[in-house]
Amino acid sequence: SSELTQDPAVSVALGQTVRITCQGDSLRSYYASWYQQKPGQAPVLVIYGKNNRPSGIPDRFSGSSSGNTASLTITGAQAEDEADYYCNSRDSSGNHRVVFGGGTKLTVL
Amino acid sequence: QVQLQESGPGLVKPSETLSLTCAVSGYSISSGYYWGWIRQPPGKGLEWIGSIYHSGSTYYNPSLKSRVTISVDTSKNQFSLKLSSVTAADTAVYYCARQDGHYDSSGYYVEYFQHWGQGTLVTVSS
């Protein structure tokens, strides 16, 4: 079972703002990173650290964190943003374990 | 431009050993970073299997540790995964990826996989 908890599914109207959350004790010590995965494709990193976007990721994607919760916000969601989103971080057990959230299916209406 | 490519058998029999290799181009493994394996069963989420540093130091998912071996061949710029005693539950798309990590200005550590292979489906079946 995942030690990072995500809502299984979220929907957003086209052009609106949506927040996808990730909860876990490890997030009190480590930043989350976020990945977008479309069917049949490898995950793509969209946010890492406090709020860093790799080159080529639109600025409508942003990240934030508070306590044990990390959030990925898409401001002005586009049809092409419909995908599965996963968070990940280092586990707080101290043994270099990496954990992923269970994923959130984003539907753009 | 860093590129990773998985290779190996797409079909493995139950109780046998799954073996995959990840060839890296555009970056020398010897230069640093951890290099990881992640898998995704059909219709399910991502699961970290383990990672290796260029020096050979390894870290494994405790749930798989007894069956996993990850090794690195810096002369070929590739790293490999072996998973023994496989069952149908090991059927998945297996990805290799470069594992980046650093402390930011606030002292928090961030770890992420920026470069991924395309993934390879391994089916465990007789």
Side-chain angles (χ1 to χ4, degrees), chain B residues 21-99:
Chain B
T21 295
C22 181
V24 179
S25 59
Y27 187 86
S28 173
I29 287 180
S30 299
S31 296
Y33 291 106
Y34 278 90
W35 302 84
W37 288 96
I38 300 107
R39 70 179 182 178
Q40 184 172 37
K44 296 188 178 181
L46 300 169
E47 179 181 33
W48 174 71
I49 299 170
S51 301
I52 189 165
Y53 196 54
H54 67 87
S55 63
S57 298
T58 52
Y59 298 100
Y60 299 134
N61 187 326
S63 68
L64 299 169
K65 187 175 182 178
S66 63
R67 299 194 291 130
V68 173
T69 301
I70 297 176
S71 59
V72 64
D73 186 339
T74 54
S75 67
K76 295 182 178 179
N77 214 38
Q78 63 186 34
F79 60 106
S80 299
L81 168 70
K82 291 188 185 299
L83 181 65
S84 64
S85 305
V86 297
T87 69
D90 295 310
T91 293
V93 174
Y94 285 76
Y95 296 100
C96 59
R98 193 179 85 175
Q99 185 172 341

Side-chain angles (χ1 to χ4, degrees), chain A residues 27-33 35 37 41-45 48-50 54-55 86 88-90 95-102, chain B residues 34 38 40 44-48 51 59-62 95 99 102-104 106-114 116-119:
Chain A
L27 300 180
R28 297 185 186 279
S29 306
Y30 301 100
Y31 281 122
S33 298
Y35 306 85
Q37 186 180 36
Q41 298 182 18
V44 173
L45 179 70
Y48 65 98
K50 191 172 184 178
S55 174
Y86 294 91
N88 99 280
S89 80
R90 175 78 69 86
N95 60 3
H96 294 260
R97 179 187 171 201
V98 174
V99 289
F100 283 92
Chain B
Y34 278 90
I38 300 107
Q40 184 172 37
K44 296 188 178 181
L46 300 169
E47 179 181 33
W48 174 71
S51 301
Y59 298 100
Y60 299 134
N61 187 326
Y95 296 100
Q99 185 172 341
H102 59 83
Y103 286 94
D104 78 345
S106 63
Y108 278 74
Y109 191 79
V110 58
E111 195 159 60
Y112 51 97
F113 298 92
Q114 184 166 3
W116 295 68
Q118 66 184 22

Side-chain angles (χ1 to χ4, degrees), chain A residues 1-83:
Chain A
S1 64
S2 182
E3 294 178 5
L4 292 178
T5 302
Q6 298 182 239
D7 291 329
V10 172
S11 62
V12 61
L14 184 68
Q16 297 303 299
T17 297
V18 62
R19 176 173 294 181
I20 299 170
T21 61
C22 174
Q23 288 187 305
D25 287 342
S26 64
L27 300 180
R28 297 185 186 279
S29 306
Y30 301 100
Y31 281 122
S33 298
W34 291 92
Y35 306 85
Q36 176 193 71
Q37 186 180 36
K38 297 181 179 180
Q41 298 182 18
V44 173
L45 179 70
V46 294
I47 290 289
Y48 65 98
K50 191 172 184 178
N51 183 19
N52 301 293
R53 281 178 290 105
S55 174
I57 301 301
D59 61 6
R60 62 179 179 271
F61 289 88
S62 63
S64 61
S65 184
S66 178
N68 73 336
T69 301
S71 300
L72 172 70
T73 300
I74 307 175
T75 303
Q78 302 300 302
E80 60 264 32
D81 299 334
E82 184 163 294

